Amino acid sequence: MEIYTVQQGDTLWRIANRLNADLAQLLAANGLDGSSPLVPGQALVIPDRFFQYIVQEGDQLGTIAARLGVTARSLIEANVLRNPASLSPGQVLYIPYRNHTVRAGETLYGIARAYGVNPQSITRANQLTSASLAVSQVLRIPAPARPVKEVNAYTTSFDVAGAGEVYRLGHYFTYLSPFRHAFREDGSLTPLNDRPVIQAAEANGVQPLLILANFTERGFSSDLAARLLRNEPLQGTLINNLLTAMRQKGYRGVNFDFEYVYPEDRDRYTAFLQRAVRRLRPEGFLVSTALAPKNSGTQQGLLYEAHDYGAHGAIVDFIILMTYEWGWAGGRPWAIAPINEVRHVLDYAVTVIPPNKIMMGAPLYGRDWKIPWHQGTFARTISPQEAVALAAQYGAEIRYHPTYQSPYFRYTDETGQQHEVWFEDARSIRAKINLLNEYGLRGISYWVLGNPFPQNWVVQQALVQARKR
C-alpha cells in the first residue's frame, strides 16, 4: 500500500500509470469514479497490487481467486469470510500469497524487493536451501506479516442502512458497539432497537458490546451516576438487568461509558466496576470501560478526575481511550485527533495501564467551522468524503499539518462566509494505526460508523489483521 499526494495538473489516469496501479482498484480504494475531480494536496491510497484486491461489482470469489492465481480457500481463510458467496463491492481482500515464475536473470533478492517482502520469507515458504533459482521455477511469495489487533467500531444507526453498513464492514471488526443503552434511576435499562445491527455483526463473526452510559435526555448526567454509585442495592439491580439484557440480545460484553462523574465518586466508580466484574466475568462476559483522554493522573476537570486509569486497568478486560474530540463541535477549529495530543495521552496511559488492555480511539469524521470562530457557534460534522468534495467544489488546496498529522483547508462559500475544515485521510489514519505497534496496544476503536471513508479500510487492512474471537 502506498499513499500519493495529488499535485497540480494530475489526473487519475496519469497517477495510475505512474505508480503502475490498476485504475479500477485506485478508484474503489478512494471512493471515486472516473469523473471525480482531484484536489491539490488530496491524499490517494494506492492498494498493494500484489496483496490487496478491492472487490468490484459482479465479482465472485472463484473468479477473483483464478485471476490472482490463488485458491478460493486461501482467500476465505485469510479474510475469515463467513459468507464467501456474498462479497460487497469495495470490500478489501487480503491476498495471502502470489505465485511468481522465475525469469532469466532474476535473483531472490530482486524478486523480494519487487514484491515488497523480505527474502527470508520466500526462502521459508519455498523451503529453499540456497539463493540460486532456476528459470521457470515457480515461487510462492507470501504476503508480509501483519500484527493482529482488536478493532472496535461504534454505531448510532440502527435502521436498514446502519445494519447494511455493518454487513459490509464487519469483516474489519472484532467488536461492534451500538451506542447506547442508558440506565434509569430505578436501575432499569432504556430500550434500544439494536437487533438489526447485532444480527449484522454476528453474520461477520463480530462480538457486540453493550454500551451503558449515564445518559439522560439532557446528555451525560453526573447526578444519575452519583445516584447509582452511592447506592449498592441499586447497583445490584442494574447488574441483574444488564445480565438479562446481554443474554437476551446476544451481547458478548459490556462497556461502561460513565462520563462527567463527580470527582468524589472516583473510588465508588472503581468499587462498582469490581462488583460488576465479579458478577459478569464468571458468566463469560467481557467488561470494559471508556475513559476520557488524560495526560496525567492529576489532570483536573469534571470529565477526567473520576476516571482512574490505573484502577480500571487492573480491573477490566480492556479500556477504550477516547483519544479524539480535541477539535470538538463547540470549540475552535482544530484537528479532531491531533497525533501529538494522542501521543501525550498514550505516553501517560501505558505507565499505569497494561498496553495490551488499551484500545486507542480514532475518529472517522471531520468538521467544518465558520471562521472567524465565535464562542457559542458549532461546527458541522462531515465525512472525509464530504470534506474532499467541499475542497473540490470551492477550489481549495488541501494542506497537511506536520505536527497534528491531519489534513485541513479553508474555503469561502457563496455568501462570502469563510470556513476552516479539519478531517481524516489515508495519511492521518496510517499515522494513528502505526501507534498501535509503537506502543504495543491491544487495538483501535473507531467513533463512529455512518461517515463514508473507504480509504480507512484499505489502510487498516494493509497494516493490521483484525482479531476474530
Side-chain angles (χ1 to χ4, degrees):
M1 178 208 70
E2 298 178 60
I3 298 175
Y4 177 79
T5 302
V6 173
Q7 307 297 311
Q8 191 73 42
D10 273 340
T11 67
L12 287 165
W13 182 86
R14 288 175 182 167
I15 293 170
N17 189 57
R18 184 184 311 143
L19 299 177
N20 198 21
D22 181 281
L23 181 57
Q25 294 284 293
L26 173 62
L27 294 174
N30 295 281
L32 304 173
D33 58 41
S35 62
S36 298
L38 295 180
V39 179
Q42 176 183 356
L44 296 177
V45 62
I46 315 299
D48 187 313
R49 62 193 179 98
F50 299 117
F51 302 113
Q52 288 183 300
Y53 180 81
I54 302 179
V55 176
Q56 306 290 307
E57 192 72 46
D59 271 344
Q60 295 183 347
L61 190 68
T63 57
I64 294 171
R67 186 183 311 138
L68 299 175
V70 299
T71 66
R73 173 54 55 186
S74 71
L75 291 178
I76 292 170
E77 293 175 353
N79 294 278
V80 197
L81 298 177
R82 300 301 174 108
N83 187 1
S86 181
L87 298 178
S88 302
Q91 181 175 348
V92 187
L93 295 179
Y94 178 73
I95 314 304
Y97 67 90
R98 299 300 296 268
N99 290 320
H100 179 86
T101 302
V102 177
R103 296 186 294 269
E106 287 189 317
T107 66
L108 177 64
Y109 298 97
I111 293 170
R113 186 169 58 251
Y115 283 92
V117 302
N118 64 63
Q120 292 77 16
S121 68
I122 300 177
T123 298
R124 288 192 299 269
N126 295 276
Q127 298 182 332
L128 301 178
T129 57
S130 74
S132 298
L133 302 176
V135 174
S136 299
Q137 180 179 358
V138 178
L139 295 177
R140 174 170 289 203
I141 313 297
R146 300 170 299 163
V148 178
K149 299 292 182 180
E150 294 192 350
V151 180
N152 176 61
Y154 287 95
T155 183
T156 58
S157 178
F158 309 111
D159 57 10
V160 173
E165 185 176 27
V166 175
Y167 274 115
R168 291 192 305 275
L169 300 179
H171 44 276
Y172 304 118
F173 308 149
T174 310
Y175 308 111
L176 180 78
S177 296
F179 190 82
R180 59 179 156 62
H181 285 81
F183 61 91
R184 302 185 182 95
E185 292 188 354
D186 63 357
S188 61
L189 304 187
T190 58
L192 190 66
N193 182 27
D194 46 10
R195 190 57 196 155
V197 295
I198 290 177
Q199 289 177 327
E202 291 171 342
N204 279 290
V206 177
Q207 297 196 52
L209 301 178
L210 189 152
I211 305 299
L212 187 69
N214 56 318
F215 209 86
T216 70
E217 65 277 2
R218 295 183 179 180
F220 284 96
S221 170
S222 306
D223 290 334
L224 181 61
R227 179 178 177 85
L228 173 73
L229 299 177
R230 300 173 189 182
N231 186 328
E232 290 191 7
L234 181 60
Q235 294 173 29
T237 299
L238 174 62
I239 293 171
N240 286 336
N241 289 332
L242 267 178
L243 273 168
T244 298
M246 288 192 290
R247 289 168 178 157
Q248 290 178 346
K249 293 189 170 191
Y251 280 105
R252 305 299 178 85
V254 60
N255 179 273
F256 293 106
D257 184 5
F258 288 8
E259 301 185 28
Y260 299 99
V261 176
Y262 288 125
E264 57 266 33
D265 288 327
R266 173 186 174 113
D267 291 340
R268 296 187 184 96
Y269 189 12
T270 298
F272 166 73
L273 290 174
Q274 291 171 324
R275 183 173 188 175
V277 167
R278 285 196 299 269
R279 286 292 308 281
L280 300 177
R281 191 173 283 158
E283 300 281 344
F285 293 110
L286 293 166
V287 180
S288 58
T289 56
L291 299 182
K294 299 171 62 169
N295 53 37
S296 77
T298 58
Q299 189 165 341
Q300 296 184 343
L302 185 59
L303 182 63
Y304 308 102
E305 292 181 52
H307 284 183
D308 187 332
Y309 274 28
H312 287 226
I315 297 168
V316 301
D317 295 294
F318 62 86
I319 288 166
I320 294 174
L321 293 183
M322 296 181 283
T323 41
Y324 38 75
E325 286 294 280
W326 278 270
W328 67 288
R332 296 180 180 276
W334 196 8
I336 310 300
I339 202 77
N340 59 321
E341 298 294 342
V342 174
R343 282 183 173 278
H344 290 160
V345 174
L346 293 177
D347 286 342
Y348 164 62
V350 297
T351 67
V352 289
I353 304 171
N356 64 1
K357 284 191 174 186
I358 296 175
M359 300 280 281
M360 181 193 73
L364 295 178
Y365 58 94
R367 290 218 165 95
D368 179 350
W369 283 266
K370 293 179 179 179
I371 56 173
W373 178 80
H374 300 288
Q375 183 73 42
T377 62
F378 286 83
R380 180 170 66 99
T381 299
I382 58 176
S383 73
Q385 297 291 92
E386 289 177 283
V388 174
L390 275 174
Q393 179 182 350
Y394 292 103
E397 179 179 352
I398 295 173
R399 300 183 181 278
Y400 192 73
H401 198 288
T403 301
Y404 305 151
Q405 293 194 35
S406 180
Y408 68 102
F409 61 91
R410 289 183 174 182
Y411 72 93
T412 302
D413 66 24
E414 295 86 351
T415 69
Q417 174 65 56
Q418 291 185 307
H419 296 250
E420 185 168 321
V421 176
W422 291 83
F423 64 106
E424 300 295 324
D425 68 6
R427 295 168 293 187
S428 65
I429 203 66
R430 178 178 61 183
K432 292 175 177 63
I433 292 177
N434 282 339
L435 294 180
L436 304 185
N437 292 331
E438 181 179 339
Y439 285 87
L441 306 182
R442 184 187 191 97
I444 192 167
S445 176
Y446 295 117
W447 179 270
V448 56
L449 298 183
N451 300 289
F453 189 14
Q455 291 183 342
N456 186 82
W457 314 115
V458 181
V459 174
Q460 177 192 303
Q461 197 259 21
L463 298 178
V464 300
Q465 177 182 348
R467 176 175 283 118
K468 294 289 188 179
R469 290 184 171 274

